Each structure stands twice: as structure tokens, then as C-alpha cells.
Amino acid sequence: MRLHRLGITAFGPFGAPQEIDFDALSAAGLFLLHGPTGAGKTSVLDAVCYALYGAVPGARQSPGTSLRSDHAPADLPTEVRLELTVGGRRLEITRRPAQPRPKKRGGGHTTEKAQSWLRAYDPEEGWQALSRSHQEIGEEITQLIGMSREQFCQVVLLPQGDFARFLRADAEARGKLLGRLFDTRRFAAVEERLADLRRVAENQVRAGDEQILALAQRIAQAAGPAGREAPMPHVQPGEPGLADAVLEWAATARSGARERLDIAAAVLAAAESRHAAARRTLDAERELAALQQRYAETTRRAAASEAGRSGHEDAREQLARARRADRVAPALELRDEAERAYRRASEARDRSRKGLPDSLADAGAEQLAALERRLREELGGLDAARRAERRSAEIDSERAALERQARADDELIRDAEGWLAGWEATRGELLARIEGAQEAATRAELLAGRLDPARRRLDAARRRDALAEEASRAERRLSEAREQALDTHEHWLDVRERRLRDIAAELARELVEGRPCTVCGSADHPRPARAGDGHVDQATEDAAQAAHRRAERARTEAEHALGAVRERYAAARAEAVEAAGADSAADPDAGGTADPTAEALAALVDTLTREHAHAHRTAAGTHAAREALAAAEREHAQRAEDRQQAERRAAARTSRREGLDAEQTALHEALAHARGESDSVTEHAAVLQDRVALLVEAATTVREEETAAARLKEADDRLADAAFRAGFDTPQAAADTLLADSAQRALQHRIDAWQAEAAAVADRLAETGARAAARRPPAAPDEAQRAYDTAERLLRDASAALAAARERCAELARLSRRAADEVRALGPVRLEHERVARLAGLTAGTSADNERKMRLESYVLAARLEQVAAAATARLGRMSSGRYQLVHSDARAGGRRAGLGLHVIDAWTGRERDTATLSGGETFFASLALALGLADVVTDEAGGVRLDTLFIDEGFGSLDEQTLDEVLDVLDSLRERDRSVGIVSHVGDLRRRIPAQLEVVKERHGSAVRHRVADGAGE
């Protein structure tokens, strides 16, 4: 894979479009990507990754992070375009993330969806469009490159710091990195799957055992006494032999239940025989007791019937006389009704005559009717007078309404004239209010333009002050680190000198009599050297050297930290001064370009904030003031119109009032004659109506009283004749003999009941069976009932015992079959559990068959690490002139996972040691070789895709000048087979040593890139 050209627009820190020509940079084989901290060096690599995979590396792809540049204009879309050759094809990938853009119509913004384009170059036809689908482009690029995004970021964008940590990391950290690169999740998934299968199988076996034990508990409950005689065996789920023990015990319980079933059947047969005999005895005693009781009751009823014979005869006589009196009852009722009607008519006549004058006290019906007719004629002549009286009242109401309207219109005219008198003053106030709000809006805009620069100055000044303190602390730490480095260096040189002085004694300790000396070759050792006072051994020298290296690393880290702080301080101070200069041009009161204090800037920001808030509140009243002016103008027009209408209504009321006065004068003259002595025509008509009603009532009551008297005389005659015909001397005697229908029915019921009782007693006295039973001894049904109840209870108990025994046998048989089925079904599950458990223990590293106790994933990672170490050794040997080689170790370290150890062999000493003991330069060589070796292994696994462009990110800041030369020589050797290597660093020495450069420059309106090749420069 080779990169040719990269186009960046509105991406990250790059606000304007930028073009990067990798072909020009790669021509030299080795090029440098540099720039100040925060300028956007990493963003160039992010753009490459985004173009290929649609996402940026690592944590920079967080949900809240936007890829769009804050410096870009609103109408410039964010876009990344990459031209590359991969798999023998030249492709161009263009991607745009989801981003806001101004709406084409109206104001505001809308979100534009993410877009992607893929084109391929044909030498004959030029660029040809292939796809615009995110998914298709992603699948095509991933297939051509053969690596995931994580693998690409680790293999092509070589992060040296990560591999230096990889060399010093423990097995767990190495396993995480290798797992991400080689995607061993499928092996971990196999482990988890087997563990899940083992848990599932174990739970199934345990559930099956628990089900069998639950069935055994139910068998014990169903067995009853048999279960207590042979108790259930004490076994737990998972114990061997559980199924056999339960089945054997269930067979014993079934045998005992069948024996108890035979016994219950014999007991039931005996109980049925006793129950039948007790039933026959009880029926016989009950029949005898019933006959004896019937005869005794018949004797009592015969005596009572004879005692009531005299009352029976009296009732018959009384009922006969009452039935004769019933023939006189209609005449009696007619005479009583006629008498009541006559009394009511007489009382009504007397009441009606009380309202008449004395002259009409004895007047007849005809005289009263004639007087009624005259009064009705007079009443009919008053209709016209009543209409005139109602019109007079209406005229009074109309005149009162006119007076009310006149008062309301007068008040309206006065109110309108008072309001209109102050109209000009009100209008002037509202216009002034609108003008003040508009001036406040203008001032608010001016203050807003001054407030933002002031806030930026305040933020810059605060960062400057904080960084100044941090720089002071970093200087102190650097001074301390330098002193510590000098002290440890002098101590190490002293220790080394002392050890070299007595090195002969150290060699003499290794001499063995008869073996040649490694220095002179002689087998004789007449005078071996002896160590003097203060002798230093190898371990002491190594400890002093290690302390010196730690101090040097601390010094280097302190220098880097101080440089970074100073760079941030200079950027903050420049930003504060630059902001101050920009603010002073817009705000004369903001001060000059000298460093302002944070306190003064904070006071200025507070003042501007208060003034802006006050102006904004005042400006917010513009709309309300305009609305108030419009409402006042509408009210002015309405009040003028109301006053004009009121004046018109006053003129119309004057004419109407004159007409009503003339009409009412004429009505008063006509009503004076019609009222008579009353106050009004209506009152006079009411008097006449009352008199007519009295005459009508009096005439009617006189006629009704005469009719009622005639009916009473006729009823008396009919009553006397009916009493004579019924055999009574007087009508009163017949009335005294009368009985009500209910009393007659009661007498008839007494007569009928006595006769029926006498006949029934005669029939029962003739029965021979009851008479014979009375002569026998008294019956004993209660004793027979108690014997029968006892026999019936015993029968029920025997029947229930037999049913329970049958049900127990059936339930035991059913539960035993279920238990046998469960045992047979659990057999294959138990075998599967044993097989899965062996596999899960083997892959998890807990099985005795796994000699190294390595998990499956760790085993695969160890194999990958062994391949990486072999590939890295081939490069490390060339870098170190054959001195170092990396080897893989399967040993377990510190109780952690085995198989991920990494050691280095030093050919000069022949010793194998941990990679964490390498020095700074050695660590860089080893980590670079490891990174390149890992790239080779991942590339081979991905299908052998050739990587013609590599990037090495950082790792050069800790190298001294000599080591840096050696590293550059090694990197220069990587250009073999037309491969280009880009170094990402801000180390100053690299700018002099590498002529091909891509510089990222920070500017006010966003970062920009500049190409520098050989001695020329290009923008």
C-alpha cells in the first residue's frame, strides 16, 4: 500500500483546504512530519485513517468529539480525500462526516448526512466512479488492505511509545495488545462458550438430580406408613448412585402399599355386612314408633272434635242470618250515600251565600243567573280601557329608558373629551419609549462586540499566569534532576574505576587448578591476585549504572516537561498579547498591547457584562412599546367615534320624548272614566270578575241542594221495602245483623274444618294396624339409630381407607415410572457434562492434562508472540550488528499467565535478560524492531499486503546525538525496495538531519501544512 496524495478541508485544526503530496515526500525515502504541540501533526494521520475506515483512531473517536474544524467558514464542508495504490489498483477515497450547513432557504442550519465516494483510475479511461455506499466502500478497503482499523493504526502508524511500553509490560498488558491486533476474541469466545456449556450441563445434571430427589420426596409422601417403615436414603444432588438408591427404595415402598391395599379390602367387606343388618333394624323400629304415635294422636283428635260440636251449631245459625241481611245491604248503602250528598250540598249552599249581599240571601237560582249576565256584559266593555292602561305604562318605561341613555351618553362624552385632551402628551411619551429601546439595542450590539474580545483576553491572561507558575516548578524540578544526574554519573564512574582496578582479583576467583587461564592460557596459577580494600563487584557497578540511567531519564523527562510548559506559556502569552492588540483596536478603553493583569481584565469583563445585560433588557421592550403605541392610536380613534355617536343619539332622544308626552295626555283622559272608583282599570275588572264568580257559585249550590233532597227521600222508601222483604222488623235490625265478607268466610271455614276433622277421625279410628301397634311395647328408634350411625361410620372409614390405599398404589406406580424416565433421560446429559467439563478445563488451563496451565487464548497469543519475536530478531540483529536478539519465553512470571514472556539475548555477554533492563537507546532499537516485526506478522496474516508507506510516531526525544545518528541510519536502511518512512516528531535535531519535511504551522485562522524538500520550500 502506497499513499500518493491527501486533501484535507475543514478537518480538525485545518480550517482552509490543505493538500499533501506524499509522492514528493516519499521520493527521498525518509521524511519528517513536524510542528509545534497542538498544531495538528496527529490530525494528518487521523485524516488518513478516516479516509480509509471512516473513523479516527482510538479515544479521538468519542461520541462527543466533532471532526469539523472550528476555524472553517459555515459554507465550507468538512472533507477528506486520499489517493493511494493498494492491491495493484490506484484508488481515490473521499469522505464527508455528518455536519451542519446553512439552510438553502430561510435562516438556521440543517444537518447534512455523511457521504463517501470511491473512484478507481484506469490508464485508458481515467477516473471511474465505483461506489457511494459507506458499507460497500468499507468492505472493499478492508478487503484490499486486509487489516482492521486497530491493526492499521498499530502497523502502519507505528506508535513507538506503545512498543516501548510493550517491552516493559507484564504478560497481561502484552496479552491485551496482541489480542487487539490478532483478534483472538474467537479463541476467548471458545473458552467462554465451553465454560457456558459446562455450566449449562452442570446445571442440567444438578436439575435432573434435584428432580429425581423431588420425585423421591413425593414418593415418600405418597407411601405414608410404608415410607416411614423404610425411610428414604440420604443422598445429595451429584452424588454417585443416587438414581439406583431412589429406584430401589421406590420398589420397596410400592410392595408395602400393595399389602395394605389387601387388608383394607377385607375390612370393607365386614363393615358392609354390619351396616346392612343395622339398617334393617332401624327401619323396623321407625315403622312401629310411627304407628303407635298415629293411634295416640287419633284418640286426642276425637276428644277435641266432640268438645267443639256446640260452637259448630252456633256458627251455622249466625252465618244464615248474616246471609239474609246481605239482601238489604245495597239499599242501606244507597240511603247512606244520598244522606251524605244532601249534607254536602247544604253546606256548599250556605258557604256560597255568605259572600252575597243581604238582599240576595233568599234569591233563587234564576234571579242569581240574571244578575250574573249583567255583570259579564259590563266586564266585556273594559278590554279597550285595559289596552290603553298598558300603553300608558309602556310610555313611562320608554321615558325612563331615554333618561338612562341620556345620562350614559353624557358620561361617555365627558370621559372621551378628558382622554382626548391628553392624547398628544401620551403619544409623545410612547414615541420616546420606542426611540430609547432602539438606542439600547444598538448599544447592546456594540457591547456584545466588546465583551467577547475581553473574555478571550481574560482567559488568555489566566492561562498565562497559571503556566508561569507551572514553568517555575518545572525549572526547579529540572535543576534537581540535573544535580541528581551529575551525582549518580560521578558515583557510577567512581564505582567503575574501583572495579577495573581490582578486575584481576575478580578474574582470579574464577581460576581452577589444572584448567587454563582465560587471559594467559596457562594451567599454572602460582600467585592469583587478591582483592584490596573497597573492592567493588559486578552487581554494585550494575546498580550504580542503573541509578545513573534512571537519573538521566528523569533529567530528560524534566527537560521535555519544561520545554512543553514553556511552549504553552509562550503560546498563551502570545495569545493574550494578540487578543489585547485586537481588542484595543475595537475598544479604546481596553488597554494597550502590554501584558494586562487578570484582575483588571476581570473587572472590565464584569463591567461590560452588566452594561450589556442592562442594554439588552431595555432593548427587549421595543416590541412592547410599539404595541402600546398602536393600542393607544386605536383607542384614540374609538373614543372620537364614540363621542360623535353619543351626540347623534341625544338629538334623536329629544324628538322621541315630545311624541311620548302628547300620546300619554290623550290616554289619561280616556282612563279617568273607565276606572270608576278603582285605582286602575285592571283593579276595577278584577272586582267585577270576583262578583261574577260569587253569583255563579251561589246559583250552582242552590240547584245541587234541591237535587240531593229529592234523592234522599227516594232512598228512604227503597230501604224500608228491602228490610220488610228480608224478614226484618226495621231497617236498623238488618243493619245490626250485617257481617263483612271476611267474617262470613271465617265462619264458613270453622264449619268446614270441624266437619272435615270429624270425618278424618272416624276413618283413622277404623284402622286395625295402628290399634294393634298400640297394644305392643313402646318402640326404641333412637337406640337403633345410634347403632346404625356407628355401622355407617365404620363403613365410610373402611371405604376411605380402601380408596386411599388404591390411590397410594396408583400414585406410587406413576411416580416410580416418572423417576425411571428421569433416570434414563439424565444418562446422556451426564455423559455430555463429563465430556464438556474435560474440554472446558483443558481450554481454561485448569485441567491436569494442560501441562503449562495455559488458556487457549494465551496459547494462541504465545504462538503469535513467538512469530513476532522471530521477525523482530531478524531486524534487531541488523540494527545492533548482531549483538541483540529477541526470544519468546513460556515461563510463568509473578503468578500471571504463562507463554507471553519476552527476553533479549546479549551476544557480547551471552546472558539472557528481561527486556525491561534495556537502556534508552537499546529500548528504542528493540521497540522499533518489534514494531516492524509485528507489522510483518500482521501483514502476513492479512494476506501479505505490501506496506510501502509507514509512519513512526515519536520516541526520538530521549536519544542523544550519537544514538540519534545510528537510529537515522537504521531508518534510512528501511527505504529498501522503494519503501518510504515518515517520522512524526517535534525534536529540533531531526529538522537538520532530514531534508524532506512536512511542517504543520499553527495560525490564527487554523493550521496549515508546508512542504520542504531538499533546500527548497513550498506552501
Side-chain angles (χ1 to χ4, degrees):
M1 182 192 72
R2 176 179 293 278
L3 306 182
H4 298 292
R5 187 175 300 274
L6 175 66
I8 305 174
T9 303
F11 182 88
F14 303 104
Q18 306 293 324
E19 288 288 337
I20 301 175
D21 188 355
F22 284 113
D23 287 337
L25 294 172
S26 301
L30 190 65
F31 63 91
L32 176 65
L33 174 58
H34 69 94
T37 301
K41 300 185 299 295
T42 305
S43 296
V44 174
L45 306 184
D46 289 347
V48 174
C49 185
Y50 181 74
L52 292 173
Y53 295 97
V56 296
R60 296 191 291 277
Q61 186 63 22
S62 58
T65 303
S66 174
L67 300 179
R68 180 167 178 79
S69 175
D70 296 334
H71 303 283
D75 57 348
L76 183 64
T78 299
E79 181 180 283
V80 175
R81 186 182 68 260
L82 177 64
E83 185 179 337
L84 75 159
T85 297
V86 59
R89 303 171 63 188
R90 186 155 183 154
L91 303 175
E92 181 190 72
I93 308 170
T94 304
R95 292 188 187 270
R96 288 184 180 180
Q99 55 190 302
R101 64 166 176 80
K103 291 183 178 179
K104 296 180 180 179
R105 295 182 180 178
H109 290 74
T110 184
T111 301
E112 190 176 63
K113 295 182 178 180
Q115 303 179 63
S116 299
W117 295 270
L118 178 63
R119 299 197 303 170
Y121 181 75
D122 187 280
E124 297 179 357
E125 300 181 3
W127 289 103
Q128 301 293 321
L130 295 182
S131 176
R132 296 191 61 175
S133 169
H134 299 296
Q135 183 176 0
E136 291 180 0
I137 296 174
E139 293 175 355
E140 180 72 14
I141 297 301
T142 303
Q143 183 177 1
L144 289 174
I145 298 177
M147 288 181 284
S148 64
R149 177 169 61 91
E150 290 77 9
Q151 291 174 322
F152 178 83
C153 296
Q154 195 74 35
V155 173
V156 178
L157 313 178
L158 301 178
Q160 287 302 107
D162 287 354
F163 284 98
R165 286 190 294 271
F166 182 81
L167 286 172
R168 297 184 174 89
D170 56 15
E172 293 295 332
R174 288 174 182 162
K176 292 179 181 178
L177 176 60
L178 293 173
R180 289 197 304 270
L181 291 178
F182 293 106
D183 192 14
T184 57
R185 290 174 297 179
R186 59 187 184 277
F187 300 103
V190 170
E191 296 178 24
E192 296 177 0
R193 177 60 178 166
L194 288 174
D196 292 341
L197 291 175
R198 178 177 59 186
R199 286 191 294 270
V200 170
E202 184 177 352
N203 291 336
Q204 290 177 346
V205 171
R206 181 173 293 275
D209 288 346
E210 291 176 352
Q211 181 68 19
I212 293 174
L213 287 177
L215 289 173
Q217 292 288 347
R218 294 177 62 182
I219 291 173
Q221 294 174 0
R228 289 190 293 272
E229 293 175 1
M232 187 179 69
H234 296 284
V235 289
Q236 297 296 328
E239 291 185 8
L242 180 144
D244 296 337
V246 170
L247 293 179
E248 182 179 355
W249 174 78
T252 302
R254 290 198 308 274
S255 176
R258 284 193 295 269
E259 292 178 359
R260 282 167 174 74
L261 176 61
D262 297 339
I263 295 173
V267 172
L268 177 62
E272 288 175 346
S273 177
R274 289 194 298 271
H275 178 268
R279 182 65 188 180
R280 290 191 296 272
T281 301
L282 176 61
D283 292 342
E285 290 296 323
R286 282 179 176 175
E287 184 179 0
L288 177 61
L291 290 174
Q292 290 177 348
Q293 184 178 2
R294 182 179 180 83
Y295 185 79
E297 183 182 358
T298 302
T299 304
R300 288 193 301 272
R301 288 171 63 185
S305 176
E306 188 63 27
R309 184 180 293 278
S310 60
H312 169 66
E313 296 296 334
D314 293 340
R316 289 180 62 188
E317 179 64 22
Q318 185 181 3
L319 180 60
R321 295 181 71 247
R323 287 176 175 173
R324 284 191 290 111
D326 286 343
R327 296 196 293 270
V328 187
L332 285 171
E333 292 178 359
L334 181 62
R335 198 270 174 190
D336 291 340
E337 178 62 29
E339 185 176 7
R340 289 193 296 272
Y342 176 75
R343 284 198 301 270
R344 289 194 299 270
S346 297
E347 292 172 357
R349 185 198 64 183
D350 294 340
R351 286 195 303 273
S352 65
R353 286 183 180 276
K354 290 180 181 180
L356 296 176
D358 296 338
S359 59
L360 299 176
D362 297 329
E366 295 299 330
Q367 183 181 358
L368 294 173
L371 183 58
E372 175 197 351
R373 286 191 295 273
R374 288 197 304 271
L375 291 177
R376 287 187 182 278
E377 291 175 358
E378 183 180 357
L379 185 61
L382 294 178
D383 291 341
R386 280 198 294 268
R387 289 194 297 272
E389 188 176 42
R390 286 196 299 271
R391 176 56 186 161
S392 178
E394 291 173 358
I395 291 173
D396 292 338
S397 299
E398 290 181 9
R399 294 182 64 178
L402 291 175
E403 292 299 327
R404 289 194 300 273
Q405 293 175 4
R407 289 193 297 271
D409 286 343
D410 292 342
E411 183 178 358
L412 187 148
I413 291 171
R414 288 194 300 272
D415 185 35
E417 289 178 349
W419 191 91
L420 292 172
W423 162 243
E424 292 300 330
T426 302
R427 185 171 181 273
E429 292 177 0
L430 291 174
L431 289 174
R433 179 180 168 189
I434 293 173
E435 184 177 357
Q438 291 175 342
E439 292 176 355
T442 303
R443 177 164 176 75
E445 292 179 359
L446 294 175
L447 290 173
R450 294 171 56 191
L451 185 58
D452 290 340
R455 286 174 175 166
R456 290 197 300 270
R457 291 178 62 189
L458 177 58
D459 294 340
R462 286 174 174 169
R463 290 198 306 273
R464 176 202 61 199
D465 296 344
L467 289 171
E469 296 179 2
E470 187 176 352
S472 299
R473 292 193 296 270
E475 288 176 354
R476 290 194 296 272
R477 288 195 295 270
L478 176 58
S479 178
E480 295 172 358
R482 284 174 175 170
E483 294 177 0
Q484 181 67 20
L486 290 174
D487 293 343
T488 56
H489 186 260
E490 292 176 359
H491 177 66
W492 173 49
L493 293 177
D494 180 61
V495 170
R496 183 177 180 82
E497 184 178 357
R498 288 160 56 191
R499 179 171 177 267
L500 292 175
R501 189 170 56 244
D502 293 336
I503 193 67
E506 186 174 338
L507 294 174
R509 284 199 301 271
E510 298 178 359
L511 294 176
V512 178
E513 190 66 29
R515 292 184 181 178
C517 176
T518 57
V519 178
C520 64
S522 174
D524 296 330
H525 317 297
R527 288 188 303 168
R530 299 182 178 275
D533 296 335
H535 175 66
V536 176
D537 56 7
Q538 177 70 36
T540 304
E541 182 185 356
D542 291 344
Q545 185 181 13
H548 168 59
R549 288 175 177 171
R550 288 194 297 271
E552 283 294 328
R553 284 197 297 271
R555 178 187 62 78
T556 303
E557 292 174 357
E559 287 178 349
H560 287 313
L562 177 59
V565 171
R566 283 177 175 173
E567 185 176 354
R568 294 201 304 273
Y569 171 76
R573 185 173 182 275
E575 185 177 356
V577 173
E578 183 180 1
D583 295 344
S584 62
D587 182 9
D589 299 331
T593 58
D595 289 353
T597 63
E599 292 77 6
L601 290 174
L604 176 61
V605 168
D606 292 340
T607 301
L608 292 176
T609 301
R610 289 194 298 272
E611 293 179 357
H612 177 265
H614 175 70
H616 188 270
R617 287 194 299 271
T618 305
T622 303
H623 178 72
R626 293 184 185 276
E627 290 291 329
L629 177 59
E633 291 175 345
R634 290 193 298 272
E635 185 176 3
H636 174 267
Q638 184 64 41
R639 285 182 179 270
E641 177 67 20
D642 292 345
R643 181 179 63 178
Q644 186 177 5
Q645 294 293 334
E647 292 173 350
R648 293 195 189 98
R649 288 195 299 271
R653 279 195 300 272
T654 302
S655 176
R656 177 63 177 164
R657 192 181 291 111
E658 292 175 355
L660 292 176
D661 291 343
E663 184 180 1
Q664 194 162 35
T665 301
L667 290 174
H668 282 170
E669 293 175 357
L671 290 174
H673 175 72
R675 289 173 182 164
E677 298 178 358
S678 302
D679 294 335
S680 64
V681 175
T682 302
E683 185 178 347
H684 184 59
V687 171
L688 293 178
Q689 288 176 349
D690 292 341
R691 290 177 182 177
V692 170
L694 287 174
L695 291 173
V696 171
E697 184 181 2
T700 302
T701 56
V702 169
R703 294 189 188 97
E704 290 177 353
E705 191 267 344
E706 293 174 353
T707 302
R711 290 178 179 174
L712 178 60
K713 183 178 181 303
E714 181 182 359
D716 288 339
D717 295 342
R718 293 179 64 182
L719 177 59
D721 183 64
F724 177 78
R725 291 177 181 276
F728 291 99
D729 296 336
T730 62
Q732 186 62 37
D736 294 341
T737 308
L738 282 173
L739 290 177
D741 291 342
S742 59
Q744 291 184 22
R745 287 194 298 273
L747 287 174
Q748 185 63 50
H749 288 162
R750 286 175 56 191
I751 295 170
D752 294 342
W754 187 90
Q755 291 176 349
E757 178 67 11
V761 169
D763 291 340
R764 292 180 66 174
L765 287 175
E767 294 177 354
T768 58
R771 187 181 299 108
R775 290 193 292 269
R776 295 178 60 183
D782 295 339
E783 182 178 354
Q785 181 67 44
R786 286 192 295 273
Y788 174 76
D789 291 342
T790 301
E792 187 174 20
R793 186 180 68 256
L794 295 175
L795 177 62
R796 285 196 304 270
D797 293 344
S799 179
L802 179 61
R806 288 173 177 170
E807 183 178 358
R808 183 179 296 111
C809 289
E811 182 67 11
L812 287 175
R814 186 181 65 83
L815 292 176
S816 298
R817 288 193 299 272
R818 282 192 57 188
D821 294 341
E822 291 290 341
V823 171
R824 285 192 297 271
L826 188 59
V829 176
R830 196 182 300 277
L831 294 176
E832 178 67 15
H833 168 254
E834 294 174 356
R835 184 179 65 83
V836 171
R838 286 196 302 271
L839 287 175
L842 185 64
T843 57
T846 59
S847 172
D849 297 333
N850 192 329
E851 297 179 358
R852 296 185 181 276
K853 303 300 181 184
M854 293 176 62
R855 294 171 45 231
L856 177 61
E857 184 183 14
S858 299
Y859 178 79
V860 175
L861 291 178
R864 295 300 189 194
L865 182 59
E866 188 173 6
Q867 294 175 352
V868 171
T873 297
R875 296 183 179 276
L876 182 59
R878 294 177 55 191
M879 294 180 189
S880 62
S881 300
R883 179 179 178 182
Y884 295 112
Q885 59 177 333
L886 290 172
V887 294
H888 161 255
S889 173
D890 286 335
R892 182 183 295 269
R896 300 186 178 183
R897 70 165 83 182
L900 297 179
L902 195 62
H903 291 173
V904 62
I905 298 178
D906 189 347
W908 291 4
T909 62
R911 296 174 57 187
E912 179 179 339
R913 50 194 172 102
D914 193 89
T915 53
T917 62
L918 293 173
S919 64
E922 294 169 344
T923 299
F924 181 83
F925 282 136
S927 62
L928 180 59
L930 187 64
L932 296 174
L934 182 61
D936 292 340
V937 174
V938 173
T939 302
D940 292 340
E941 186 180 84
V945 177
R946 176 180 170 81
L947 302 177
D948 296 319
T949 305
L950 297 176
F951 293 92
I952 302 176
D953 190 359
E954 286 300 343
F956 301 90
S958 61
L959 301 180
D960 55 29
E961 184 174 356
Q962 180 180 356
T963 306
L964 185 60
D965 289 335
E966 296 175 356
V967 169
L968 291 179
D969 292 340
V970 172
L971 292 178
D972 191 58
S973 66
L974 295 177
R975 295 183 298 169
E976 61 185 6
R977 293 183 298 175
D978 199 24
R979 173 179 289 181
S980 61
V981 179
I983 299 175
V984 183
S985 178
H986 55 71
V987 176
D989 285 347
L990 292 176
R991 301 178 192 175
R992 300 190 307 271
R993 300 169 186 266
I994 302 176
Q997 299 178 13
L998 178 65
E999 182 181 7
V1000 183
V1001 183
K1002 284 200 297 186
E1003 296 179 350
R1004 182 177 181 84
H1005 301 294
S1007 298
V1009 297
R1010 298 175 181 173
H1011 295 77
R1012 300 184 184 276
V1013 181
D1015 295 333
E1019 296 296 332

